[in-house]
Structure formats: structure tokens, C-alpha cells
Amino acid sequence: GAGVSQSPSNKVTEKGKDVELRCDPISGHTALYWYRQSLGQGLEFLIYFQGNSAPDKSGLPSDRFSAERTGGSVSTLTIQRTQQEDSAVYLCASSLVIAGDQPQHFGDGTRLSIL
Amino acid sequence: RKEVEQDPGPFNVPEGATVAFNCTYSNSASQSFFWYRQDCRKEPKLLMSVYSSGNEDGRFTAQLNRASQYISLLIRDSKLSDSATYLCVVIKAAGNKLTFGGGTRVLVKP
């Protein structure tokens, strides 16, 4: 389809392992966001990319988290040395531009479980 | 104080009734506002933008009160399918990130 695609849809891993989550935004969307949602919690902003500008990393909870966006399209979110508190649904969203009236379109999310 | 705050609810609403709830924001420079709907274990979906003059979309009405720094969502003639969590979203300025409220849970019961 033409929506935001995330993979994997589910990921279970052991504490201490590294994980990589992928987001493929809607074609032509210049803005890309990563959020996470812990069980019963609201959405927590992590990072966003806009075109070729430096990303806003202000929401990353620790230096174990990093993200990149290659070629202005696909993005990967990497979590190193995972901890149990990293367990959450990681949502990616894209929008045409970062502007007041441009809605974000969300992917289905990656459900990450750290054992 | 959180940037964007919502009453988590749940708001238990009889089918056919009207329900309204607010979202307060702390930054007076906030420029754009939205309501998103999120179903259990699903991704958020845009419900409607909130304009300064207020706007209506079918049974849903959104209002913005800049003086008191809150937005509201009113649902008339509630349907069972309206049961969801409603997320308030605020943007401080173009080029800035969205900030989500924690969501208000609405349960419509027969």
C-alpha cells in the first residue's frame, strides 16, 4: 500500500542486545518522526527528520538510542544494549512538510519486548 | 507541568449522549492543534484539525480557547464505535515537533 511501513511488526529480544527498527515513509513525505508508546501511556516523541536538516534528537531518552535517515527516505531507529524499560510500541509517522495543517500519517508500529 | 495535559478518563458515556473534554497546553506560542483518535493497540489517526474559529465535522466539534490555553472536543449522539482514546496534539511553531497529550479515554456503552 501507500502508507507508512514499519518492520518488524514484533520484536522480542534479550536484555543487552541491540535492535534496529525500520520505517519506510510515504513517498514524497519530507518529515519523518519516531515516537514510542509504553503500555497505558501516551505518545513520547523521540526524534524527527525534516529534509536534509539536522534531526531534532531532543526526545531520545539516552545515548543508547540513535536514528538515521538515508537518502531522505527510509529511517532506522537503533537501540543499543537494550533494557527492559525499552519495551514499548515504536511508532513512525511521516508528513508532507512540518507545517501547521499537515497531518501525520502513522505506521502500524513495532512492538518491542525486552526479556 | 506537562506541555500538553488531558484528563485520562475514562469518560463513560451512554450511547446517544453528548460528551466533551478539554486539553490544556502550557506554551502560549503554540500555533496548531489537532485531535487524533487511537483505538486500543492501534496507531493514532487524525480526527480533525482545530481552527481558531472552531470547526465541526459531523458529530464532532472542536474549539480553541487561546485566552485560557485549551482546546476542546465535543461528540454528539455518541456511537459505540466512538469508544477510543482521543489524543490532543499541539505544535508550537511551523518546523517544530508535535507534542501529544496523554489521551482521554472514552467508553460509549449501550
Side-chain angles (χ1 to χ4, degrees):
Chain A
V4 177
S5 177
Q6 290 188 246
S7 61
S9 55
N10 284 284
K11 177 73 177 177
V12 181
T13 192
E14 292 179 345
K15 178 182 171 182
K17 300 285 189 184
D18 297 351
V19 295
E20 192 172 277
L21 313 179
R22 177 188 167 106
C23 172
D24 200 342
I26 292 172
S27 178
H29 280 194
T30 57
L32 185 148
Y33 306 75
W34 282 100
Y35 299 89
R36 73 176 175 183
Q37 188 169 34
S38 302
L39 187 63
Q41 302 294 314
L43 281 167
E44 176 187 3
F45 165 79
L46 297 178
I47 186 171
Y48 81 69
F49 299 86
Q50 167 56 10
N52 297 319
S53 302
D56 178 353
K57 304 180 181 180
S58 59
L60 294 179
S62 78
D63 58 9
R64 296 186 296 104
F65 288 72
S66 63
E68 62 178 22
R69 189 180 184 193
T70 53
S73 182
V74 172
S75 176
T76 54
L77 176 69
T78 301
I79 310 172
Q80 297 177 306
R81 306 181 301 282
T82 52
Q83 303 294 314
Q84 287 184 331
E85 62 263 27
D86 299 335
S87 296
V89 175
Y90 288 80
L91 288 163
C92 175
S94 71
S95 67
L96 193 56
V97 292
I98 299 178
D101 58 354
Q102 296 295 326
Q104 293 190 350
H105 300 266
F106 283 82
D108 291 341
T110 292
R111 190 171 302 277
L112 177 64
S113 300
I114 309 299
L115 303 177
Chain B
R1 182 186 173 188
K2 292 182 181 178
E3 283 190 61
V4 181
E5 292 198 78
Q6 295 182 247
D7 182 337
F11 285 62
N12 294 300
V13 185
E15 190 176 9
T18 296
V19 61
F21 42 89
N22 295 337
C23 164
T24 59
Y25 58 95
S26 61
N27 192 320
S28 60
S30 299
Q31 291 191 348
S32 302
F33 310 88
F34 305 88
W35 283 105
Y36 275 72
R37 171 197 168 122
Q38 186 174 29
D39 293 294
C40 189
R41 299 171 77 86
K42 299 282 190 182
E43 74 281 9
K45 293 186 187 298
L46 179 67
L47 179 65
M48 59 197 302
S49 302
V50 185
Y51 302 125
S52 296
S53 55
N55 49 302
E56 189 174 309
D57 183 1
R59 298 180 294 108
F60 296 82
T61 301
Q63 298 279 353
L64 168 62
N65 186 318
R66 284 196 183 274
S68 300
Q69 294 183 203
Y70 72 87
I71 65 171
S72 64
L73 182 66
L74 182 145
I75 309 173
R76 286 186 300 277
D77 187 23
S78 299
K79 311 290 185 191
L80 297 177
S81 57
D82 294 334
S83 296
T85 296
Y86 291 85
L87 297 164
C88 162
V89 176
V90 174
I91 306 179
K92 281 189 285 188
N96 209 326
K97 67 181 187 290
L98 278 66
T99 303
F100 283 79
T104 294
R105 192 167 170 219
V106 172
L107 297 173
V108 181
K109 300 186 175 181

